[in-house]
Amino acid sequence: MARQLDEQIAARYPVGQRLRVLDVGMGQGTQALRLARLGHQVTGLERDATMIAAARDALAGEPEGIRERMRIIEGDGRDTGVHFLPGSFDVVLCHGVLMYVAEPDALLAGLARMLAPGGLLSLLVRNADALALRPGLDGDWAGALAAFDSVAYRNRLGLDVRADRLTTLTDALAGIGAPLQCWYGVRVFTDTAPDGAEIPQDVDTLLAVEERAGRTDPYRSVAALLHLCGVRG
């Protein structure tokens, strides 16, 4: 996904331009830190105290220049208007968040308002059109049958959450003035790997396969996750 994001940024901004980035629901700050290391000014918004502590610990180990380029704010992604002025960012990330929001329309509209004209909105969501795949491959036929007509699923943390359909999000992005420009599949072949699995020796080949599948039909349509990129008009 990082490669996909970098590709979209490179297609829209001159090389070396320092961008204003907002990472909503930044978690432990993996993407936020990576972008700060690349020279961008990054703001991470997170409400979970454990994740905030992990992100701050990681940031504390970075050189001073990177620490100065990143700030962490405790807050809910649905309250971006409380913390920031409209049009304050060139890039807004919202990765792995929508599955925890029952009604995401207000959140999406708020994210779009944070973007400057021409700004990039990057979403990572669970693919509702592929929910039957994992139980099917596991031989859970009843689970697979139920998943065909559902957007609800139980994640690996044991939480009951929701997925999104590409068509629904395409309409939603058009409605908030940040129409879909490009989309990718993420975890096409590796979604069934167990937690804690060892990194294989041929990991570079694995990543090349996943990257190719993530941009190629029909493979990307059955990816566990979808990476959608919209651009503010």
Side-chain angles (χ1 to χ4, degrees):
M1 188 189 66
R3 297 181 185 184
Q4 297 163 358
L5 179 60
D6 289 348
E7 177 181 79
Q8 291 301 310
I9 289 175
R12 287 168 174 81
Y13 297 102
V15 175
Q17 179 175 340
R18 179 175 292 186
L19 302 175
R20 301 163 298 166
V21 179
L22 173 63
D23 189 352
V24 173
M26 69 168 183
Q28 60 188 7
T30 302
Q31 284 298 322
L33 269 174
R34 188 184 71 84
L35 291 168
R37 292 184 190 116
L38 292 175
H40 303 302
Q41 195 74 35
V42 182
T43 299
L45 184 65
E46 174 61 53
R47 68 176 182 177
D48 186 271
T50 301
M51 291 294 184
I52 291 172
R56 285 178 173 157
D57 285 346
L59 182 60
E62 296 290 331
E64 181 180 358
I66 294 175
R67 295 199 306 270
E68 291 176 347
R69 287 198 296 272
M70 182 171 166
R71 61 173 174 159
I72 298 171
I73 297 176
E74 183 176 357
D76 192 293
R78 289 166 288 195
D79 298 327
T80 49
V82 174
H83 301 284
F84 316 109
L85 293 173
S88 295
F89 297 96
D90 305 301
V91 179
V92 173
L93 315 181
C94 187
H95 296 165
V97 174
L98 261 63
M99 55 273 292
Y100 298 103
V101 181
E103 299 291 339
D105 289 353
L107 170 62
L108 290 172
L111 299 180
R113 283 194 293 271
M114 295 301 102
L115 285 169
L120 175 68
L121 175 61
S122 175
L123 304 175
L124 184 70
V125 304
R126 188 74 186 188
N127 183 9
D129 291 321
L131 286 182
L133 198 60
R134 185 193 288 175
L137 291 174
D138 288 340
D140 176 8
W141 308 120
L145 191 61
F148 280 114
D149 300 313
S150 177
V151 296
Y153 71 103
R154 179 162 292 179
N155 66 15
R156 293 187 178 186
L157 299 175
L159 301 175
D160 292 322
V161 288
R162 51 171 293 281
D164 288 283
R165 300 191 188 280
L166 177 63
T167 52
T168 302
L169 282 178
T170 299
D171 291 342
L173 290 173
I176 61 175
L180 183 68
Q181 299 295 306
C182 186
W183 68 277
Y184 307 86
V186 177
R187 290 194 345 222
V188 176
F189 298 115
T190 57
D191 187 54
T192 56
D195 292 337
E198 292 186 6
I199 297 176
Q201 291 185 345
D202 59 346
V203 63
D204 289 338
T205 306
L206 181 155
L207 291 174
V209 170
E210 281 284 349
E211 187 174 10
R212 177 75 176 271
R215 63 179 70 242
T216 304
D217 291 323
Y219 304 103
R220 64 177 181 166
S221 298
V222 295
L225 303 168
L226 299 178
H227 181 197
L228 290 79
C229 299
V231 174
R232 181 73 170 169

